[in-house]
Every structure is written in C-alpha cells, then in structure tokens.
Amino acid sequence: MKNTNIYGVILAGGSGSRLWPLSRAEYPKQLLKLLNQDTSLFQETFLRLAKIAPKKNIITITNAKQASDIKIQLGEMDAFENPILSEPLGKNTAPAIALSTVYIKENMTKNDDDPIIIVAPSDHLIKNCIAFADTVKKGVSLAQAGYIVTFGIVPTHLDTGFGYIETTKTNDIQAISPSAFYVNQFREKPDLETAKEYIEKGSFYWNGGIFMFKASTLLDEMSVHANDIISVLNDSEISTEATTINFDDYEKMPNISIDYAVMEKSKKIALLPLNCGWNDLGSWQAIYDVAAKDANNNSISGNVINIDSENTLIYGTSDKLVATIGLKDVVIIETEDAILACNKNQTQDVKKVFDQLKQKNHAAYRIHRTVYRPWGHYTYMGEEKDYLIKTICVTPKSSLSLQLHHHRSEHWTVLSGNAIVQVGEEKFNLSSGESIDIPIKTKHRLENIGDEDLKIIEVQKGDYLSEDDIIRFQDEYGRADLISENA
Amino acid sequence: MKNTNIYGVILAGGSGSRLWPLSRAEYPKQLLKLLNQDTSLFQETFLRLAKIAPKKNIITITNAKQASDIKIQLGEMDAFENPILSEPLGKNTAPAIALSTVYIKENMTKNDDDPIIIVAPSDHLIKNCIAFADTVKKGVSLAQAGYIVTFGIVPTHLDTGFGYIETTKTNDIQAISPSAFYVNQFREKPDLETAKEYIEKGSFYWNGGIFMFKASTLLDEMSVHANDIISVLNDSEISTEATTINFDDYEKMPNISIDYAVMEKSKKIALLPLNCGWNDLGSWQAIYDVAAKDANNNSISGNVINIDSENTLIYGTSDKLVATIGLKDVVIIETEDAILACNKNQTQDVKKVFDQLKQKNHAAYRIHRTVYRPWGHYTYMGEEKDYLIKTICVTPKSSLSLQLHHHRSEHWTVLSGNAIVQVGEEKFNLSSGESIDIPIKTKHRLENIGDEDLKIIEVQKGDYLSEDDIIRFQDEYGRADLISENA
C-alpha cells in the first residue's frame, strides 16, 4: 500500500536548448515523446512517481509558457486536476523546490502533517522503473529520521559531464537503511583525471537531482542555509488558485540551484545508490546511445532514405523527405522549420546554435510551427508583411476562447468537419468548404460540437499580426486572464 | 560580324537526377540558377551560342514537361519567340540532333541553303566564354569542308568519369585549321590505369558533347550509320507549329546517343581542342569544386548557422533554418520538401536516391513544391484526403487559362494585390482579404491586371485532387491543347 503522506514534485522547467531543434524554449525536452514512445519524459516521470506516492499527491512546477502543454499531457494520463505551479520566470531549482514544499504543506495537507516529499527532474530516462521504486521506498525511513535523501546514480562509465557526490559509511545511517551512506561532499563536474580517481575509489556517485525529505527538514535547512528564499516565501501570499503565483514575489527569489543553496552546506544529507538504467538524455549523442539501432549502428526514424551510412542518428519529424548517403557519426534532426546536421561527437554545441537563435529572437528557438493548445493545435503556414496563414485543428467537443483582435481581420475556410462560429452576437453553422469573415475588433469564437476533428484555414490580414493581439472574454481552460498566448 | 548561316541547337532534355533535390525530373539541372547566379545553365548556354550564331537562329530541344520552363527562361532573355522542339519522351541525343537539324533545314532556311549547326548541351559550366567563342569559330571552315567537328575538352586532371577522344595530326585537317586534329576513336569512360595512359599520351581529349557540322554532312552520315533515325524522319510530318511534334513518330525513334549512332562510326570527325574552364557539374562534388569558399573551405548559402565545419557544401534554398556543427566533407542541400545530407565523396549515389523515389512515384523526384508557370508560380502547401491547399502568385498583367475542373470546387482568398475573377459568364473584382467560390464543373479564370503581384490562397475540395483534372478553353501561352499541366 502507498503511504498517503508521500507527495511528489516534478521539476519541469527545462530550457529546451540541448535537444534543439526538437526541443524549443516553449516545448522543452520533458514534453517530447522521444524514441517513438507514446509517453513523454514528463509523463514517464509522473507514472514513476505514481508508483511511490498517491497519484493525486503529485504536483508539477514549470515555466508559465509550458503550463498549457503540461496540462494537456496530464490530461492524457487522466490527471487533469493535478496542480501545476506556474513560474513566471525561471529561478533554478532551489526556489522551485521551496515553493513546492510550502504549497504542499499549506494547500494539500492538514496543518500539523509533515509530508514526505520526493522531488524529481522530468527529463531523464530511467529504464528500470522497478529498481527505481524499490530504492526510493527505502528512502522513506531516512527522510522520516530527518535526513535529506539524495538518490545517487551508480556510475556506469567515466564521465566528466555530471556532478559527483562523495560518501562514507556511518553507523547512524546504516542502522536506519543498510545500503545508505552519509554524504561528505557534493563535487562539481570534474576533469578527466579527477573523474578517474572518483570512479576508482568507488565511493562516488553521480548527482541525478532526485531528492526525498520531510517538509520540515527541507524548510529548516533552508532557513539556515538559504534564508533569502524562505523570507520571500514568508512575506508573500501563495495563491490558493492552483496554477498561479504572484509574479512580483517570484522575481524577488535568488536564482540558485538546490545543490548550491542547501545540499553542499547541510550536514543532514544521506545517499541511497540508484542503479536503474538512468540516462540524463542531455544531448543527441545520449539519445543515440540509448536508441535502438540497425546492423550499421544507425538509429533512423521518419521519412528517410538512407544509403551506406554508419553510426548515425537520423530523425525526421515532418512530412519532408530526408535522404542520407555515406554519412558517418552524424546526427540529422529534421523539423518543420529547422534542420540540424551535427557531428555526433560535438552535440554539446547544439546549445551554441540555440543561444545564437535566442539572441536574434528567431522564432525557431522558442516554438515549433505546430503549437498545441488545450483545444487542439495550429500550424503556422507562412506570412508576408500584410497577411499570415495558419491551419487550425479543433478536437471534438472543444472550443477556442471568445476573443477579439485589435489589429487584424480573419478569414476562415472550413477544410473538414463542421464549425460553429460566433461573430459578434450571431452564430453560424459552417460545413466543409464554406467560409466566413471575422472583422477587426469583433468578438468571435470557433467551436467544434461534432465527433470528428474540425480543420480550418485562417488568413489573417492587418498591420500587426502577432499572437499577443488577443483579448479573451471567456475560456474553457481558465485562460481568460492570461496574456501572450494564442486562442 | 556573325555568319547568318550558323544555327544553334541547345540540348536541354536532362533527367534531373544528379543534382537532386535541387534538380527534379521536371526541373532539371539546366534550369537551375546555381551558385547564386542570375542566369541558369541553360540561359548561359544560350548567351554563349548567341556570340556565334544570330540570336534568332538558336533553337532548343527539350522534354515536353520542361517546355514551359524553357519558354519562361527564354522570355527572361527577350527570346520568347525562339523555337522550342518539345520531345514527348526522351530518346537520347541522336534523334534530338537529327530532328533539330531537319527542323532548321526545313523551317528556318531557304530550300537550297545548307546551314552550319552547332549543338551544345545546356547543363555545363564554361568559365571562359571568349576562349569558347574563339575555338568554336575556328570550327566553321572545317564544317564547311564536310567534317563533323567535335570540340574536345583539354583534360585538366585524371578523371574516369568522362569519355575520351583519341586524335592524330593529319595534313588534310591542319591545312584547314592548324590547331585541329583528326579523330581516330571515341573511347568509353576508362578505368584508372587507362585514363593515366591517355593523359600521358597527350593526344586524348574529354568528350564534352559539343559538335558543329553542315546539315547535309550530319544527315548523310546518319543515312549511312543510323538510317533507322533518318527513315522515321522521312516518314513523318514535322509540324510547322514550332513547339509540337507528333508523339507517335517520335516513339518510333531508337533510344541512342549521337556518339554511338554517328561519332564512333563516321570517318569524317575532326577535333578542335577546347580550353575554356569547362566543368560538367555532374555531381554536388563538382558544384563544390567550382563554388566560392570561406577560410575553412566551406561553400555556404541560404539560411544557415554553421559552427566548426570544414570542406562542406551547405545550400539552403527555403525559408527554413539549417544548422550545421562540426561537419567534414559533407554536402547538405535543403529544399521545401526534401533534404539531402551526403558524404562529399559519394555524391554520385544521389542518383540512387532519385531512382528509388522515381520507382515509388514519389512527388519529390518529379517536381518542387513551388512550380513556375508563364503567368507566375504556385506553391503546394499541404493536403488531406478531401482537400488540398496552394498559394498562387500571378505576375502583373498575367492570367491563368480559362478552365474548368470536373472533380473539384475551389475557394480563393486574395492575400495581396487585386484579382479579376471570371466565374461562368460573370466577372468579379476582388481586393485583398476578399474571397470567392468556384463551383465544380464551372468555367473560371484568374487574372491580374494590376501593377503588383497578385497572391491568393486556393483551397481545393473534392474526391479527386490532381493537376490533370483540368480542361483549358483559352490560354495566353498556347497551352489550350496541352494536358497534364496546371493552369
């Protein structure tokens, strides 16, 4: 039986830079259904934690821009009501974990409860979920005894890309959990020589960012070692509306990781070795390493014709054709609006491309051409200075918000399915092939009451054609007060 | 002064396989404006010949599918009226040269004239046009003396990819043109050892496929060595309408090159060495070789972000982003619907990809998403089983044919510019943002009488959505009788 006092916190605020162009700032790694999986890394994390904590006890903290996508993915797992804490801006892990802990304590438990919380990143691969659950459950008694438990990944090879954790055996800790260790020190990413030393000693583990603690332990340690975070929380109201927190207060938070803020300073850290086929999928090379491969060590998916390539990762995601000939140790990632062709031994430099695009404010760092919404999705088809074209797909029984635009008119043609269109105070039924004009500054709404997808093509005309020209009046998905999101 | 008795024949019937995905079966290499040139290889060939023959004396023989694009490119050079012989199917060079010769003799000269004809492929690069013209002009006296003159490319390096021509000095020929040789033998592409031998001997030249002859010489030699071609020509009527020849008759032609049919058998072949920066651009590697390069030997154009690559050809042609990291000796060619990533030393295998696509009848071997027409161009935007979307651009003062479709209705929305739309017997003026329905089986026409481009988006609806569902009634471009072409 699951311990009803255990709560899960999923950290889902990734930047989306390392698996670009498949990941984007507003559609980062954890949302991706990689390697032809039906579930995203975020969803897999949720399902993993749901083996330890009651499903309803699992909350997610994420960037405000991704909250809508997280909600869609929770919905796919019948967890539409699970709380999402939406960060107005990224402040690294310490503020996120502190806020989540306070939120659980104040909003999800009774006043004198001291919940046990497991925190996990949302974008790692764990192949052996049974081993994961078994190890994590061993952490409960340590957490109850007042330790912050970190689950240290048992190193499988020499690697300079991770932080390491140095441990010792102590009787105190082993009395509680025989396989656990006391943590001496958190160590930064080492150079090659130092990494060799660590691996040879055998008492070092990789820092996988998975922690378990009693709420009171974490908050007490934070008061001692990171009181600037606690004082912001003490001074601010946390909204009881599940998915919003006050912007101004979060901005006051320091930008600091839980490692720097607490783990490297606290004397109450225990470690349980975790041996569960962990991979941080931190680059396309890491994806290649865990992917299924053909006889020539190629991992190929999508609309691809390959001749004579070896040791490649070829990933086509659109309807376009990708032809590869005689490539060796190359990664090709193809999306609707951007293509990456990269030496497989240099995939860490993808971040440099992402940073260049971000600096230029190029759309391809931020979003895909197809953007998912609670009601369906839209695909950007092209634009010139005075028009913009999109196709829009509305799923059955869904509707966009009642909205208006100050700077553009819209012309809709139904491609398939049936539409109910409100324009001003009038409603129209449109079937396949019919079209309608939405004048500028006019309230309108698009609705699909049918049983099949509704697809329309939208031509926007006006002097300013941008997603932020929208006023929402009513919305089925609680977005009537949000800004800068489409429909 | 130019000799008005000289005529030019441009062979423009390439298959488009070797520079895929930029070239396509219906948009082959000679139509491409490569290396950021303003003129295509075909246009450069025309301009080269126009330095030798009067401009109006130059005809083009090409595949029927490409005739429309050839016409557009002739128009760009103010040569819209120059004849195009349109082959209903490809039969290699011998029938094309024979037909062109007969056509010039019967339709472009007086009865007792014996024109001198220069034949040139349309898809080679010649850097030094002055050297080309100088050498070719030397051929006239040889042609007049009854020789078929071949212009042999002076080899610049060891190459097994070309046919070679073996020569000897003879007094007869040198009396006419001191730098000319007698041709002993045409040789197939040699192996490496043989090629070395050829180059060392110094009396061998590459076969560049450029010939000059008197019409009577060619036809007489053909009567002796390839009478099956001559007999088809004798038995058939050549239409005096410039751009059409009878399908049934051309089908009777043998499929044979001029080398096999005549050059390897005739004893009347002279050679003039041609040293003019010739390159057959027969692969992406050849394109790379002649392209301008940066300090790391990369030739990069288009919307590209490159980090640390060397010796690459990166060619982006759409609005999509191409990011390349740490590539070495790789060719990346990006188009709207297909991407090639190829080891630079294996670019000859591009043909294998092309052949696979052709076998599958995949659209990407045949056409681009954007297709050019005499009136402008259209871009395929996507389709599902019951609809298809295109954007259409009509240039100023142009119009599509008056047409109807048996299986689809169309819905047009004007994106920019102004349209005159005829539907049935009525005409409508549509300005930007307005739309109109074209019912199934209804005559219609789209016209741009304005001074700026007219852009519309077209949604096709119906049970059969294909280019060949078109009946043309009137057409500004002489296509009212053609089938299987759009608009």
Side-chain angles (χ1 to χ4, degrees), chain B residues 39-237:
Chain B
T39 43
S40 70
L41 294 173
F42 164 72
Q43 289 174 318
E44 285 173 34
T45 305
F46 184 94
L47 296 171
R48 240 176 357 246
L49 294 191
K51 292 203 170 113
I52 296 149
K55 189 170 159 181
K56 68 173 176 43
N57 284 9
I58 301 170
I59 73 168
T60 305
I61 181 159
T62 187
N63 189 298
K65 298 270 186 191
Q66 295 148 28
S68 163
D69 289 308
I70 289 287
K71 209 171 182 71
I72 294 169
Q73 294 205 348
L74 284 171
E76 288 174 0
M77 297 181 299
D78 292 322
F80 199 75
E81 302 294 330
N82 279 50
I84 300 169
L85 303 189
S86 156
E87 297 175 295
L89 71 174
K91 286 287 186 181
N92 212 325
T93 48
I97 291 171
L99 175 68
S100 301
T101 302
V102 171
Y103 178 86
I104 288 170
K105 186 136 177 49
E106 294 191 0
N107 295 279
M108 297 176 78
T109 63
K110 288 182 215 115
N111 248 352
D112 48 355
D113 280 359
D114 195 356
I116 287 176
I117 296 173
I118 173 162
V119 176
S122 56
D123 59 351
H124 295 165
L125 176 72
I126 286 177
K127 281 194 178 165
N128 187 342
C129 290
I130 294 169
F132 175 81
D134 285 350
T135 304
V136 168
K137 281 174 190 164
K138 286 183 196 161
V140 175
S141 51
L142 286 161
Q144 263 159 345
Y147 287 99
I148 298 175
V149 187
T150 177
F151 298 91
I153 313 297
V154 181
T156 52
H157 60 271
L158 195 60
D159 202 305
T160 58
F162 305 123
Y164 282 71
I165 304 171
E166 187 183 355
T167 64
T168 344
K169 288 192 181 182
T170 69
N171 292 336
D172 289 1
I173 283 178
Q174 293 200 310
I176 304 167
S177 181
S179 55
F181 298 93
Y182 180 74
V183 170
N184 290 339
Q185 215 174 333
F186 276 68
R187 306 274 199 153
E188 302 263 345
K189 292 176 188 174
D191 59 24
L192 196 65
E193 275 310 300
T194 315
K196 267 185 195 162
E197 223 174 86
Y198 290 172
I199 300 287
E200 279 161 17
K201 279 190 182 159
S203 56
F204 284 75
Y205 297 86
W206 292 338
N207 181 2
I210 312 167
F211 304 103
M212 182 182 259
F213 45 76
K214 259 193 322 204
S216 60
T217 310
L218 191 274
L219 296 173
D220 288 351
E221 288 298 291
M222 276 213 164
S223 299
V224 177
H225 302 296
N227 198 43
D228 47 350
I229 295 175
I230 296 296
S231 67
V232 176
L233 288 173
N234 286 342
D235 292 350
S236 70
E237 290 275 306

Side-chain angles (χ1 to χ4, degrees), chain A residues 308 319-321 323-326 336-343 346 381 411 413 415 432 435 457 459 461, chain B residues 308 319-321 323-326 336-343 346 369 381 411 413 415 432 435 457 459 461:
Chain A
D308 279 352
D319 61 344
K320 281 187 290 294
L321 186 72
T324 51
I325 301 173
E336 269 296 335
D337 61 344
I339 297 125
L340 171 71
C342 182
N343 184 319
Q346 224 170 315
M381 302 284 278
H411 180 81
T413 304
L415 298 169
S432 176
S435 70
I457 188 158
V459 177
K461 300 274 313 169
Chain B
D308 279 352
D319 62 342
K320 282 188 290 296
L321 186 72
T324 52
I325 301 174
E336 268 295 336
D337 61 343
I339 296 126
L340 170 71
C342 182
N343 184 319
Q346 223 170 316
R369 286 219 174 155
M381 302 284 278
H411 180 82
T413 305
L415 297 169
S432 176
S435 69
I457 187 157
V459 176
K461 299 275 314 169

